[in-house]
Amino acid sequence: MVYAISIVALIAIFTVATLTPINMGILAFAGAFVIGGWVSGIPVEDIIDAFPGSTFIIVGGITLLFAIAKANGTIDLVIEASLRLVRGRRWAILWMMFMLSGLLMALGSVLAVGMLAPIAMPLAAKNRINPFLMGMVISHGALACAFSPINLYGAFINGLMDSTGVGANPLVLFALPFVLNLVIAIVLFLIYGLDLIGHRTPRTAGTEDTDEVSDGGGFGRSSRRSSGGGVPGGNTATLTDREVIEETLIHKGMKPVRIDRYRLATLVGIGFLVVGSVAFGIDVGVSSICVSAVLLLMAPKSHPKVLDNVAWPAVVLVCGMLTYMAVMTQNGTLDFLGDAASALGSPLLTALILCYAVAIISAFGSSIGTLGIALPLAAPMLAMGEVGAVGFVAALAFSATVVDVSPFSTNGVMVLANAQVEDRARFQRKMLAYCGLIVLSAPLFVWALVVVPTSV
């Protein structure tokens, strides 16, 4: 009976959090105390001790550092400098947005697509880039780096696998989704973007050589070059590297950003965090908090409300789910589910079913919440060695996140909201059809590619 109540409560937590604005972590904390203390008879002190302090430090520290980087203009600096490198090349604009989206996600911004969509989608319209292609490329760019060891998703999955005793492999967890999302983006480019190669965006000619000064509300506009003889017929000229980009950035409200000692220190701090964690095994949470403290001390009055920008809802969600999973471990529910999975007789079939289940659910709900349910359910089966643990975890992670191209996901909503298209309903249907294709094909593909070979 305890097992059944624990499972039903878990499903109820996910369902209520999906259908209402209530944070899943709050419900999970409440469920941990009710199911753990009242139903399972676990002492309250043990439930409190199950609170994932290390994960709290990691997620809180990373989101704090990113909040500082955003508040002091470092993120805007990186975006501006990156976009200026494309020099009007349409294919380069597309892939620069892919890399920027991935970089922001890898450094801790789970809202990377939300930050870039207001820039990327107008750029697509002005440069005659297929808006669907642009939207999906920035989405897959973020998803490619979703499991960086120094961001929310990576910290959550690695912490969860360590807590269940299976053990984490951060490199494989990051590399598999990265490679597969990159491949998907390349396929989309081959279908929708080959016409972008070798062409720059044309504009109407006839303007005289003038130097336009900044209007005080954005970047200083670049000088416009006359088109005389630039293109046969004299009707068009090559778009300069600044014109489209600056107009879009100004429209978004971004202010001119220059490198200074504070932004340089922020970049150095982020670099230290990445190198220290990957090359020397320095704790990510401790490093991010220390770097954040140094940055705050450098300008203590510049960001009085920086803590308001920390992703506290994400912190609560992750810690709440991990606490509830600890209760399910202590009351034996996870062992029961592992035995039930083994009774199906085919671990590989069970793995495939789970990959499809997380893909379908995540297309309409929270990816991290779905993984918070699926991974503990799979942990007993993994512990018994019936399937390759590392490959299966990476496959589940990829299946749960690659469907975030859905128009019902946070990424999809931001792409749809900023798409400059005549028929938004048709664009949404196209996104939904694409998501359906991903749901049908991605779990089977990653299962055959990774899970089967590592389990034989």
Side-chain angles (χ1 to χ4, degrees), residues 2-3 36 40-43 45-51 323-335:
V2 171
Y3 305 149
S40 305
I42 300 173
E45 292 78 8
D46 291 347
I47 300 174
I48 294 175
D49 289 341
F51 178 83
T323 303
Y324 189 81
M325 291 307 142
V327 168
M328 292 184 69
T329 300
Q330 293 183 42
N331 68 12
T333 302
L334 293 187
D335 290 336

Side-chain angles (χ1 to χ4, degrees), residues 11-31:
I11 296 173
I13 289 169
F14 180 82
T15 303
V16 172
T18 300
L19 299 177
T20 70
I22 302 175
N23 187 290
M24 189 183 299
I26 295 174
L27 297 176
F29 275 126

Side-chain angles (χ1 to χ4, degrees), residues 164 191 315 360 433:
T164 55
I191 296 173
V315 176
I360 294 170

Side-chain angles (χ1 to χ4, degrees), residues 167-446:
N169 190 318
L171 179 59
V172 174
L173 180 64
F174 174 79
L176 179 67
F178 178 84
V179 172
L180 294 181
N181 277 284
L182 176 60
V183 169
I184 293 173
I186 292 173
V187 171
L188 288 171
F189 180 77
L190 294 176
I191 296 173
Y192 295 105
L194 285 180
D195 64 312
L196 304 179
I197 297 178
H199 294 83
R200 298 187 183 209
T201 306
R203 63 171 171 85
T204 302
T207 56
E208 298 180 355
D209 288 341
T210 59
D211 291 330
E212 296 189 13
V213 298
S214 172
D215 59 5
F219 297 101
R221 297 188 182 184
S222 61
S223 60
R224 297 176 180 246
R225 299 174 179 86
S226 64
S227 60
V231 178
N235 293 324
T236 59
T238 301
L239 198 67
T240 65
D241 62 322
R242 289 194 173 193
E243 287 175 329
V244 168
I245 294 171
E246 289 186 354
E247 288 177 6
T248 306
L249 295 176
I250 291 169
H251 177 71
K252 188 176 182 288
M254 289 174 58
K255 298 179 180 179
V257 181
R258 295 180 176 85
I259 190 70
D260 58 21
R261 67 183 188 88
Y262 195 25
R263 296 183 183 113
L264 179 61
T266 304
L267 291 172
V268 171
I270 293 174
F272 169 79
L273 177 67
V274 174
V275 174
S277 62
V278 175
F280 302 102
I282 300 175
D283 186 271
V284 174
V286 173
S287 299
S288 57
I289 289 178
C290 291
V291 171
S292 298
V294 171
L295 294 175
L296 290 174
L297 287 172
M298 289 181 64
K301 297 181 180 180
S302 298
H303 308 302
K305 297 183 179 180
V306 69
L307 286 178
D308 295 342
N309 295 321
V310 176
W312 294 118
V315 176
V316 172
L317 187 153
V318 170
C319 294
M321 289 300 298
L322 289 178
T323 303
Y324 189 81
M325 291 307 142
V327 168
M328 292 184 69
T329 300
Q330 293 183 42
N331 68 12
T333 302
L334 293 187
D335 290 336
F336 167 77
L337 290 172
D339 294 339
S342 299
L344 294 177
S346 176
L348 283 176
L349 178 60
T350 303
L352 179 60
I353 292 173
L354 280 174
C355 285
Y356 267 108
V358 298
I360 294 170
I361 295 172
S362 293
F364 301 93
S366 165
S367 298
I368 197 165
T370 303
L371 286 171
I373 294 174
L375 285 173
L377 300 184
M381 183 174 65
L382 296 174
M384 290 184 286
E386 295 177 323
V387 294
V390 175
F392 183 34
V393 170
L396 275 178
F398 171 74
S399 299
T401 54
V402 72
V403 297
D404 280 350
V405 294
S406 163
F408 303 109
S409 69
T410 302
N411 290 350
V413 167
M414 292 304 300
V415 169
L416 182 61
N418 289 279
Q420 297 189 357
V421 294
E422 293 182 1
D423 190 341
R424 198 171 297 275
R426 182 181 179 184
F427 189 79
Q428 183 182 32
R429 289 194 297 270
K430 188 170 186 177
M431 290 179 63
L432 188 58
Y434 175 69
C435 179
L437 178 63
I438 292 293
V439 169
L440 289 175
S441 59
L444 179 62
F445 178 79
V446 74

Side-chain angles (χ1 to χ4, degrees), residues 58-70 75 100-113 115 142 145-155 174 270 273-274 284 288 309-312 314-315 368:
I58 291 174
V59 178
I62 291 171
T63 55
L64 173 61
L65 178 58
F66 194 88
I68 294 172
K70 190 174 188 305
I75 299 303
L100 273 175
S101 185
L103 176 64
L104 293 177
M105 176 66 87
L107 295 179
S109 174
V110 295
L111 298 177
V113 175
M115 294 177 60
C145 298
F147 294 96
S148 161
I150 61 170
N151 76 0
L152 172 64
Y153 284 89
F174 174 79
I270 293 174
L273 177 67
V274 174
V284 174
S288 57
N309 295 321
V310 176
W312 294 118
V315 176
I368 197 165

